[in-house]
Amino acid sequence: QVHLQESGGGLVQTGGSLRLSCAAPQRTFSYFHMGWFRLAPGKEREFVAAISRSGDSLFYKDSVKGRFTISRDTARYMVYLQMDNLKPEDTAVYYCGATSGNSATIRNWKTYAYWGQGTQVTVSS
């Protein structure tokens, strides 16, 4: 079992910034690609960003490119999502996930075996 723990959500105005953090177990951190997904009321869970286990490959949803940055710190076993220029449509519960899949499946939440409990991000207009 891999337990992930998100933090860093909150309420911010349009144009503001937040940094989400995801803590992962030390012994398994290097095995998985890591991703961020979000779930808004009345919508399906959607891919936001992902990073390969090496950190060399980054993947983003088109609407967040240039605003969000995903990164991983192998020394601290952490994954981050820096979110800048936030918009009301970014409001959702954000989830960190871990997958042993590949670049072809990294955007598909169904391939992720492990999830955190989620953290709420609310962007006011």
Side-chain angles (χ1 to χ4, degrees), residues 35-57:
W36 287 96
F37 291 75
R38 64 189 182 189
L39 182 62
K43 296 185 178 181
E44 295 186 352
R45 187 177 306 205
E46 65 175 5
F47 168 77
V48 177
I51 185 168
S52 62
R53 59 175 65 91
S54 68
D56 291 340
S57 297

PDB file of all heavy atoms in Angstrom, residues 35-57:
ATOM      1  N   GLY A  35       1.233  12.051 -10.721  1.00  0.00           N
ATOM      2  CA  GLY A  35       0.351  12.957 -11.433  1.00  0.00           C
ATOM      3  C   GLY A  35      -0.569  13.727 -10.501  1.00  0.00           C
ATOM      4  O   GLY A  35      -0.787  13.328  -9.352  1.00  0.00           O
ATOM      5  N   TRP A  36      -1.076  14.821 -11.025  1.00  0.00           N
ATOM      6  CA  TRP A  36      -2.107  15.610 -10.341  1.00  0.00           C
ATOM      7  C   TRP A  36      -3.365  15.596 -11.196  1.00  0.00           C
ATOM      8  O   TRP A  36      -3.304  15.822 -12.420  1.00  0.00           O
ATOM      9  CB  TRP A  36      -1.657  17.058 -10.141  1.00  0.00           C
ATOM     10  CG  TRP A  36      -0.609  17.232  -9.101  1.00  0.00           C
ATOM     11  CD1 TRP A  36       0.742  17.306  -9.285  1.00  0.00           C
ATOM     12  CD2 TRP A  36      -0.825  17.372  -7.685  1.00  0.00           C
ATOM     13  NE1 TRP A  36       1.385  17.482  -8.079  1.00  0.00           N
ATOM     14  CE2 TRP A  36       0.440  17.527  -7.083  1.00  0.00           C
ATOM     15  CE3 TRP A  36      -1.950  17.398  -6.868  1.00  0.00           C
ATOM     16  CZ2 TRP A  36       0.607  17.687  -5.707  1.00  0.00           C
ATOM     17  CZ3 TRP A  36      -1.788  17.554  -5.502  1.00  0.00           C
ATOM     18  CH2 TRP A  36      -0.524  17.696  -4.934  1.00  0.00           C
ATOM     19  N   PHE A  37      -4.472  15.332 -10.554  1.00  0.00           N
ATOM     20  CA  PHE A  37      -5.779  15.351 -11.192  1.00  0.00           C
ATOM     21  C   PHE A  37      -6.699  16.238 -10.370  1.00  0.00           C
ATOM     22  O   PHE A  37      -6.395  16.561  -9.216  1.00  0.00           O
ATOM     23  CB  PHE A  37      -6.360  13.929 -11.274  1.00  0.00           C
ATOM     24  CG  PHE A  37      -5.624  13.034 -12.231  1.00  0.00           C
ATOM     25  CD1 PHE A  37      -4.381  12.510 -11.912  1.00  0.00           C
ATOM     26  CD2 PHE A  37      -6.170  12.722 -13.460  1.00  0.00           C
ATOM     27  CE1 PHE A  37      -3.690  11.696 -12.801  1.00  0.00           C
ATOM     28  CE2 PHE A  37      -5.505  11.903 -14.358  1.00  0.00           C
ATOM     29  CZ  PHE A  37      -4.258  11.396 -14.023  1.00  0.00           C
ATOM     30  N   ARG A  38      -7.824  16.640 -10.948  1.00  0.00           N
ATOM     31  CA  ARG A  38      -8.773  17.452 -10.191  1.00  0.00           C
ATOM     32  C   ARG A  38     -10.190  17.014 -10.496  1.00  0.00           C
ATOM     33  O   ARG A  38     -10.481  16.475 -11.570  1.00  0.00           O
ATOM     34  CB  ARG A  38      -8.580  18.934 -10.501  1.00  0.00           C
ATOM     35  CG  ARG A  38      -8.860  19.359 -11.928  1.00  0.00           C
ATOM     36  CD  ARG A  38      -8.414  20.798 -12.133  1.00  0.00           C
ATOM     37  NE  ARG A  38      -8.702  21.272 -13.489  1.00  0.00           N
ATOM     38  CZ  ARG A  38      -8.266  22.421 -13.987  1.00  0.00           C
ATOM     39  NH1 ARG A  38      -7.504  23.232 -13.233  1.00  0.00           N
ATOM     40  NH2 ARG A  38      -8.589  22.777 -15.209  1.00  0.00           N
ATOM     41  N   LEU A  39     -11.050  17.262  -9.507  1.00  0.00           N
ATOM     42  CA  LEU A  39     -12.447  16.893  -9.612  1.00  0.00           C
ATOM     43  C   LEU A  39     -13.287  18.074  -9.168  1.00  0.00           C
ATOM     44  O   LEU A  39     -13.209  18.499  -8.016  1.00  0.00           O
ATOM     45  CB  LEU A  39     -12.737  15.669  -8.750  1.00  0.00           C
ATOM     46  CG  LEU A  39     -14.154  15.119  -8.792  1.00  0.00           C
ATOM     47  CD1 LEU A  39     -14.508  14.664 -10.194  1.00  0.00           C
ATOM     48  CD2 LEU A  39     -14.297  13.960  -7.806  1.00  0.00           C
ATOM     49  N   ALA A  40     -14.057  18.605 -10.100  1.00  0.00           N
ATOM     50  CA  ALA A  40     -14.956  19.721  -9.800  1.00  0.00           C
ATOM     51  C   ALA A  40     -16.390  19.203  -9.745  1.00  0.00           C
ATOM     52  O   ALA A  40     -16.712  18.194 -10.388  1.00  0.00           O
ATOM     53  CB  ALA A  40     -14.819  20.797 -10.875  1.00  0.00           C
ATOM     54  N   PRO A  41     -17.261  19.879  -9.012  1.00  0.00           N
ATOM     55  CA  PRO A  41     -18.662  19.432  -8.902  1.00  0.00           C
ATOM     56  C   PRO A  41     -19.320  19.303 -10.267  1.00  0.00           C
ATOM     57  O   PRO A  41     -19.218  20.197 -11.113  1.00  0.00           O
ATOM     58  CB  PRO A  41     -19.323  20.534  -8.077  1.00  0.00           C
ATOM     59  CG  PRO A  41     -18.213  21.111  -7.283  1.00  0.00           C
ATOM     60  CD  PRO A  41     -17.002  21.055  -8.165  1.00  0.00           C
ATOM     61  N   GLY A  42     -19.957  18.164 -10.502  1.00  0.00           N
ATOM     62  CA  GLY A  42     -20.665  17.943 -11.748  1.00  0.00           C
ATOM     63  C   GLY A  42     -19.787  17.567 -12.919  1.00  0.00           C
ATOM     64  O   GLY A  42     -20.276  17.412 -14.038  1.00  0.00           O
ATOM     65  N   LYS A  43     -18.493  17.394 -12.659  1.00  0.00           N
ATOM     66  CA  LYS A  43     -17.566  17.047 -13.736  1.00  0.00           C
ATOM     67  C   LYS A  43     -16.832  15.758 -13.404  1.00  0.00           C
ATOM     68  O   LYS A  43     -16.810  15.301 -12.264  1.00  0.00           O
ATOM     69  CB  LYS A  43     -16.557  18.177 -13.951  1.00  0.00           C
ATOM     70  CG  LYS A  43     -17.167  19.484 -14.418  1.00  0.00           C
ATOM     71  CD  LYS A  43     -16.090  20.509 -14.725  1.00  0.00           C
ATOM     72  CE  LYS A  43     -16.684  21.804 -15.228  1.00  0.00           C
ATOM     73  NZ  LYS A  43     -15.625  22.803 -15.540  1.00  0.00           N
ATOM     74  N   GLU A  44     -16.210  15.175 -14.424  1.00  0.00           N
ATOM     75  CA  GLU A  44     -15.410  13.986 -14.219  1.00  0.00           C
ATOM     76  C   GLU A  44     -13.993  14.383 -13.785  1.00  0.00           C
ATOM     77  O   GLU A  44     -13.538  15.496 -14.044  1.00  0.00           O
ATOM     78  CB  GLU A  44     -15.361  13.156 -15.499  1.00  0.00           C
ATOM     79  CG  GLU A  44     -16.704  12.590 -15.922  1.00  0.00           C
ATOM     80  CD  GLU A  44     -16.594  11.665 -17.115  1.00  0.00           C
ATOM     81  OE1 GLU A  44     -15.508  11.577 -17.705  1.00  0.00           O
ATOM     82  OE2 GLU A  44     -17.601  11.019 -17.458  1.00  0.00           O
ATOM     83  N   ARG A  45     -13.311  13.434 -13.159  1.00  0.00           N
ATOM     84  CA  ARG A  45     -11.927  13.676 -12.767  1.00  0.00           C
ATOM     85  C   ARG A  45     -11.105  13.936 -14.020  1.00  0.00           C
ATOM     86  O   ARG A  45     -11.212  13.200 -15.003  1.00  0.00           O
ATOM     87  CB  ARG A  45     -11.367  12.464 -12.035  1.00  0.00           C
ATOM     88  CG  ARG A  45      -9.990  12.676 -11.434  1.00  0.00           C
ATOM     89  CD  ARG A  45      -9.516  11.467 -10.652  1.00  0.00           C
ATOM     90  NE  ARG A  45     -10.473  11.050  -9.631  1.00  0.00           N
ATOM     91  CZ  ARG A  45     -10.135  10.382  -8.545  1.00  0.00           C
ATOM     92  NH1 ARG A  45      -8.863  10.095  -8.311  1.00  0.00           N
ATOM     93  NH2 ARG A  45     -11.063   9.997  -7.706  1.00  0.00           N
ATOM     94  N   GLU A  46     -10.286  14.975 -13.988  1.00  0.00           N
ATOM     95  CA  GLU A  46      -9.515  15.314 -15.173  1.00  0.00           C
ATOM     96  C   GLU A  46      -8.031  15.455 -14.852  1.00  0.00           C
ATOM     97  O   GLU A  46      -7.650  15.879 -13.758  1.00  0.00           O
ATOM     98  CB  GLU A  46     -10.021  16.587 -15.847  1.00  0.00           C
ATOM     99  CG  GLU A  46      -9.880  17.855 -15.043  1.00  0.00           C
ATOM    100  CD  GLU A  46     -10.286  19.091 -15.824  1.00  0.00           C
ATOM    101  OE1 GLU A  46     -10.769  18.952 -16.974  1.00  0.00           O
ATOM    102  OE2 GLU A  46     -10.101  20.206 -15.298  1.00  0.00           O
ATOM    103  N   PHE A  47      -7.237  15.096 -15.835  1.00  0.00           N
ATOM    104  CA  PHE A  47      -5.797  15.195 -15.741  1.00  0.00           C
ATOM    105  C   PHE A  47      -5.368  16.654 -15.699  1.00  0.00           C
ATOM    106  O   PHE A  47      -5.925  17.496 -16.421  1.00  0.00           O
ATOM    107  CB  PHE A  47      -5.178  14.506 -16.956  1.00  0.00           C
ATOM    108  CG  PHE A  47      -3.714  14.768 -17.133  1.00  0.00           C
ATOM    109  CD1 PHE A  47      -2.787  14.109 -16.342  1.00  0.00           C
ATOM    110  CD2 PHE A  47      -3.267  15.673 -18.077  1.00  0.00           C
ATOM    111  CE1 PHE A  47      -1.432  14.348 -16.495  1.00  0.00           C
ATOM    112  CE2 PHE A  47      -1.913  15.917 -18.248  1.00  0.00           C
ATOM    113  CZ  PHE A  47      -0.998  15.259 -17.453  1.00  0.00           C
ATOM    114  N   VAL A  48      -4.382  16.962 -14.860  1.00  0.00           N
ATOM    115  CA  VAL A  48      -3.839  18.313 -14.772  1.00  0.00           C
ATOM    116  C   VAL A  48      -2.368  18.325 -15.192  1.00  0.00           C
ATOM    117  O   VAL A  48      -1.975  19.080 -16.072  1.00  0.00           O
ATOM    118  CB  VAL A  48      -3.971  18.881 -13.347  1.00  0.00           C
ATOM    119  CG1 VAL A  48      -3.325  20.257 -13.257  1.00  0.00           C
ATOM    120  CG2 VAL A  48      -5.433  18.946 -12.932  1.00  0.00           C
ATOM    121  N   ALA A  49      -1.562  17.485 -14.544  1.00  0.00           N
ATOM    122  CA  ALA A  49      -0.126  17.462 -14.831  1.00  0.00           C
ATOM    123  C   ALA A  49       0.461  16.148 -14.328  1.00  0.00           C
ATOM    124  O   ALA A  49      -0.095  15.522 -13.421  1.00  0.00           O
ATOM    125  CB  ALA A  49       0.590  18.642 -14.174  1.00  0.00           C
ATOM    126  N   ALA A  50       1.588  15.752 -14.919  1.00  0.00           N
ATOM    127  CA  ALA A  50       2.275  14.544 -14.481  1.00  0.00           C
ATOM    128  C   ALA A  50       3.764  14.684 -14.724  1.00  0.00           C
ATOM    129  O   ALA A  50       4.198  15.484 -15.571  1.00  0.00           O
ATOM    130  CB  ALA A  50       1.733  13.307 -15.207  1.00  0.00           C
ATOM    131  N   ILE A  51       4.518  13.891 -13.980  1.00  0.00           N
ATOM    132  CA  ILE A  51       5.974  13.910 -14.100  1.00  0.00           C
ATOM    133  C   ILE A  51       6.469  12.471 -14.048  1.00  0.00           C
ATOM    134  O   ILE A  51       5.990  11.665 -13.251  1.00  0.00           O
ATOM    135  CB  ILE A  51       6.600  14.779 -12.987  1.00  0.00           C
ATOM    136  CG1 ILE A  51       8.100  14.923 -13.168  1.00  0.00           C
ATOM    137  CG2 ILE A  51       6.251  14.254 -11.598  1.00  0.00           C
ATOM    138  CD1 ILE A  51       8.716  16.004 -12.269  1.00  0.00           C
ATOM    139  N   SER A  52       7.427  12.156 -14.914  1.00  0.00           N
ATOM    140  CA  SER A  52       7.951  10.800 -14.963  1.00  0.00           C
ATOM    141  C   SER A  52       8.763  10.490 -13.705  1.00  0.00           C
ATOM    142  O   SER A  52       9.156  11.392 -12.964  1.00  0.00           O
ATOM    143  CB  SER A  52       8.834  10.623 -16.199  1.00  0.00           C
ATOM    144  OG  SER A  52       9.956  11.509 -16.130  1.00  0.00           O
ATOM    145  N   ARG A  53       9.022   9.200 -13.484  1.00  0.00           N
ATOM    146  CA  ARG A  53       9.746   8.800 -12.276  1.00  0.00           C
ATOM    147  C   ARG A  53      11.141   9.414 -12.242  1.00  0.00           C
ATOM    148  O   ARG A  53      11.674   9.687 -11.171  1.00  0.00           O
ATOM    149  CB  ARG A  53       9.826   7.282 -12.152  1.00  0.00           C
ATOM    150  CG  ARG A  53      10.492   6.560 -13.287  1.00  0.00           C
ATOM    151  CD  ARG A  53      10.619   5.077 -12.991  1.00  0.00           C
ATOM    152  NE  ARG A  53       9.346   4.397 -12.879  1.00  0.00           N
ATOM    153  CZ  ARG A  53       8.706   3.813 -13.895  1.00  0.00           C
ATOM    154  NH1 ARG A  53       9.242   3.833 -15.103  1.00  0.00           N
ATOM    155  NH2 ARG A  53       7.562   3.215 -13.706  1.00  0.00           N
ATOM    156  N   SER A  54      11.731   9.674 -13.388  1.00  0.00           N
ATOM    157  CA  SER A  54      13.057  10.290 -13.449  1.00  0.00           C
ATOM    158  C   SER A  54      12.998  11.802 -13.304  1.00  0.00           C
ATOM    159  O   SER A  54      14.008  12.447 -13.023  1.00  0.00           O
ATOM    160  CB  SER A  54      13.744   9.941 -14.770  1.00  0.00           C
ATOM    161  OG  SER A  54      13.063  10.578 -15.839  1.00  0.00           O
ATOM    162  N   GLY A  55      11.820  12.357 -13.540  1.00  0.00           N
ATOM    163  CA  GLY A  55      11.669  13.803 -13.523  1.00  0.00           C
ATOM    164  C   GLY A  55      12.006  14.464 -14.847  1.00  0.00           C
ATOM    165  O   GLY A  55      11.882  15.678 -14.982  1.00  0.00           O
ATOM    166  N   ASP A  56      12.396  13.653 -15.832  1.00  0.00           N
ATOM    167  CA  ASP A  56      12.836  14.219 -17.111  1.00  0.00           C
ATOM    168  C   ASP A  56      11.683  14.601 -18.031  1.00  0.00           C
ATOM    169  O   ASP A  56      11.843  15.445 -18.919  1.00  0.00           O
ATOM    170  CB  ASP A  56      13.735  13.218 -17.841  1.00  0.00           C
ATOM    171  CG  ASP A  56      15.064  13.026 -17.148  1.00  0.00           C
ATOM    172  OD1 ASP A  56      15.441  13.911 -16.346  1.00  0.00           O
ATOM    173  OD2 ASP A  56      15.722  11.999 -17.389  1.00  0.00           O
ATOM    174  N   SER A  57      10.540  13.944 -17.855  1.00  0.00           N
ATOM    175  CA  SER A  57       9.404  14.193 -18.746  1.00  0.00           C
ATOM    176  C   SER A  57       8.256  14.803 -17.963  1.00  0.00           C
ATOM    177  O   SER A  57       7.887  14.306 -16.892  1.00  0.00           O
ATOM    178  CB  SER A  57       8.941  12.893 -19.398  1.00  0.00           C
ATOM    179  OG  SER A  57       9.965  12.352 -20.210  1.00  0.00           O
TER     180      SER A  57
END
